[in-house]
Amino acid sequence: PNDVSPFPFGTVFAPEDTTHWPVLRDPKANAVLEAAKSDWVILNIWATWCAPCVKELPDMEAANPMLLGSGVRLIAVNADPMRKDTQANVDRVFAERGVSSLTSIVTEGEDVQAVLAATGQKQVGFPTNLIFAPGGEPFGYFTGLPDQDEVWSTAEMLTFFETLVESSET
């Protein structure tokens, strides 16, 4: 939309024609996604072996309450294509990085491929962030945020999402 602040860190790309809201076989994980679907949602697709993914977790944790206050749900979706990550690995990384309130889903089995397919991309780089409008409508995606301690919690990033939400309400 024209009245949205510019994305401060690179480019938000239009979704691919095949980008879609993921539907997971794991009923608990799918329930988390469905509960968020009525809001703006960012699905942060990551893995524990991805250094930039792990580095940004504390900043995502810091930004999470501010994003929620603006009407955006941030969900960290572990979708390790090598299928080595487990709930125990993710819990350990979250504990080491001081992450306690960020919503997290750890996919396993067929759900890994379901999440990766939802991006609509042939090759998924980590981290990839899918943005969905209310109702699970694909809005865009971004990758490769700068290698700095604060990106998600910056005023510029928060303003971008705040104005995105406001633009959809008018």
Side-chain angles (χ1 to χ4, degrees):
N2 292 332
D3 51 348
V4 174
S5 297
F7 188 68
F9 298 106
T11 303
V12 171
F13 298 98
E16 304 295 330
D17 291 339
T18 54
T19 301
H20 60 276
W21 185 261
V23 176
L24 305 180
R25 294 174 86 73
D26 178 330
K28 195 173 178 181
N30 203 56
V32 170
L33 290 177
E34 288 302 312
K37 198 173 185 178
S38 61
D39 295 322
W40 280 89
V41 176
I42 305 165
L43 297 182
N44 173 267
I45 301 171
W46 74 290
T48 61
W49 46 259
C50 167
C53 300
V54 172
K55 181 177 180 170
E56 72 181 356
L57 286 171
D59 189 39
M60 290 170 62
E61 171 81 3
N64 189 43
M66 295 177 274
L67 287 167
L68 276 171
S70 297
V72 178
R73 293 190 189 219
L74 176 58
I75 302 174
V77 182
N78 180 284
D80 176 13
M82 294 184 286
R83 301 179 185 208
K84 293 181 179 182
D85 281 349
T86 63
Q87 185 68 57
N89 292 14
V90 171
D91 290 347
R92 179 186 49 77
V93 169
F94 272 40
E96 288 171 356
R97 303 297 290 164
V99 177
S100 60
S101 67
L102 182 63
T103 301
S104 173
I105 294 173
V106 178
T107 59
E108 296 177 340
E110 293 176 26
D111 285 347
V112 171
Q113 189 54 43
V115 168
L116 297 176
T119 70
Q121 302 167 14
K122 290 182 176 143
Q123 186 75 9
V124 180
F126 282 58
T128 289
N129 298 281
L130 300 175
I131 305 171
F132 290 94
E137 190 65 34
F139 176 82
Y141 71 95
F142 61 95
T143 62
L145 293 175
D147 183 21
Q148 58 194 55
D149 290 340
E150 293 181 356
V151 175
W152 285 95
S153 62
T154 62
E156 297 85 3
M157 183 71 103
L158 297 170
T159 297
F160 170 79
F161 284 109
E162 193 173 279
T163 61
L164 182 62
V165 170
E166 288 171 1
S167 74
S168 68
E169 294 172 349
T170 56

